[in-house]
Amino acid sequence: MSNVRPKKHLGQHFLVDQNIAMKIVEQLTLPGGVQDVLEIGPGMGVLTQYLLQHKEYRTTVVDIDRESIAYLQAHFPQLGDRIISADFLKTDLSTLFPGKFAVIGNFPYNISSQIFFKVLEHRDVVPEVVCMIQKEVAERLASPPGSKAYGILSVLLQAFYTIDYKFTVGEKVFNPPPKVKSAVISLVRNNVERLACDEKLFQKVVKLSFGTRRKTLRNSLRSYNLPPEVQALPVFDKRAEQLSVQDFVELTQLIEQNLKE
């Protein structure tokens, strides 16, 4: 069958450079003896073909595009029922995998953040992610505290994953070429099982702190109505981008304690 037409509404930019595709797959390490690999948005299988060369991997692909699904079924019949026609964001992953699985893919720019939030929800069963995303987003996720790129997703993901910026990818290796550069990053699960604070409150505190990132935390977190003696602490003189994950955990503990009193 003919090639799949890239669809703008799905944010499809098909990678056409075989060397880069091979290099992306090579970034997978599958820690802890994990065998299952889920590829998100395989398109015409440019990554899939190299995943299948690894006989030790049990590869599953998921795509929302029916044209891509038909192409994959025609060209990769060995995948059988592991070609899933579905929206990853709405998929119950526990029905696909009994245990842990790695995630790989050339993520559509328009839903990359949503994919990461879903990964966070399943962090206990996703020990590794290797993906290509917009360069600006990749830099943000991998940025340390103190950087202007450091933001909400940087903190939330770095709480549970070690993030490594692998390499930059130019625009010309895609069909159609995007208007921005891309980058490949890896996320490998760290040893933190649970944060030492209320994790829902932690997320709220991080989001609220970065909501007005130019302001000090004293202003950003004003809605918590913390006592004057608490607001006088040095941490409230800082801006969100200056706080590490551990700083945010301690800040959340402080807020939690004062909300109970």
Side-chain angles (χ1 to χ4, degrees):
M1 67 180 286
S2 59
N3 288 350
V4 178
R5 295 173 296 105
K7 297 166 190 65
K8 191 173 182 180
H9 73 281
L10 293 178
Q12 288 175 329
H13 295 276
F14 294 136
L15 177 65
V16 294
D17 188 304
Q18 299 295 324
N19 288 327
I20 291 175
M22 196 186 309
K23 195 175 174 184
I24 292 170
V25 171
E26 284 172 356
Q27 306 307 314
L28 273 177
T29 63
L30 271 67
V34 170
Q35 288 183 302
D36 278 306
V37 178
L38 176 64
E39 183 186 355
I40 298 172
M44 289 184 286
V46 66
L47 297 184
T48 315
Q49 62 184 327
Y50 295 110
L51 288 168
L52 290 173
Q53 287 180 9
H54 289 266
K55 302 302 179 188
E56 72 276 23
Y57 296 177
R58 196 161 46 235
T59 301
T60 301
V61 300
V62 58
D63 206 306
I64 196 172
D65 180 18
R66 290 181 182 177
E67 195 180 354
S68 289
I69 292 293
Y71 183 96
L72 294 163
Q73 287 170 338
H75 289 79
F76 300 98
Q78 65 270 49
L79 280 170
D81 61 2
R82 295 201 305 277
I83 299 175
I84 311 296
S85 177
D87 180 348
F88 169 77
L89 297 175
K90 296 177 182 175
T91 301
D92 180 356
L93 299 176
S94 65
T95 63
L96 298 183
F97 305 102
K100 294 184 177 182
F101 60 97
V103 170
I104 193 169
N106 172 19
F107 293 173
Y109 290 164
N110 54 348
I111 62 163
S112 63
S113 293
Q114 292 166 270
I115 292 173
F116 288 123
F117 277 115
K118 181 148 185 167
V119 165
L120 270 175
E121 288 172 22
H122 294 82
R123 62 182 182 267
D124 291 342
V125 290
V126 181
E128 182 179 33
V129 179
V130 171
C131 61
M132 181 153 55
I133 54 176
Q134 190 173 338
K135 181 175 184 281
E136 183 185 335
V137 177
E139 289 172 338
R140 192 182 308 153
L141 299 189
S143 287
S147 162
K148 287 184 179 179
Y150 186 70
I152 294 170
L153 259 179
S154 317
V155 177
L156 299 183
L157 286 170
Q158 288 176 29
F160 299 102
Y161 289 90
T162 299
I163 303 175
D164 190 7
Y165 185 106
K166 295 294 188 180
F167 55 91
T168 304
V169 180
E171 303 93 326
K172 294 179 181 178
V173 299
F174 296 93
N175 174 37
K179 294 179 181 178
V180 293
K181 292 190 184 305
S182 303
V184 173
I185 61 168
S186 75
L187 292 77
V188 177
R189 192 74 168 82
N190 61 24
N191 294 322
V192 177
E193 289 188 16
R194 295 288 176 268
L195 297 180
C197 64
D198 181 317
E199 292 184 0
K200 287 187 177 178
L201 182 60
F202 174 81
Q203 283 202 13
K204 288 178 184 176
V205 169
V206 171
K207 288 177 181 178
L208 203 55
S209 298
F210 280 101
T212 49
R213 63 182 297 152
R214 290 186 180 181
K215 295 184 178 180
T216 63
L217 294 172
R218 190 172 291 111
N219 287 310
S220 301
L221 302 175
R222 184 177 290 171
S223 59
Y224 283 116
N225 295 316
L226 298 169
E229 63 272 20
V230 174
Q231 292 192 48
L233 294 170
V235 67
F236 289 95
D237 293 326
K238 295 183 177 182
R239 294 190 302 277
E241 66 196 46
Q242 296 175 278
L243 270 62
S244 66
V245 171
Q246 183 56 34
D247 292 334
F248 272 112
V249 168
E250 292 171 5
L251 179 60
T252 304
Q253 290 172 337
L254 187 64
I255 291 171
E256 192 177 0
Q257 184 181 341
N258 281 275
L259 288 177
K260 288 175 181 176
E261 292 176 357

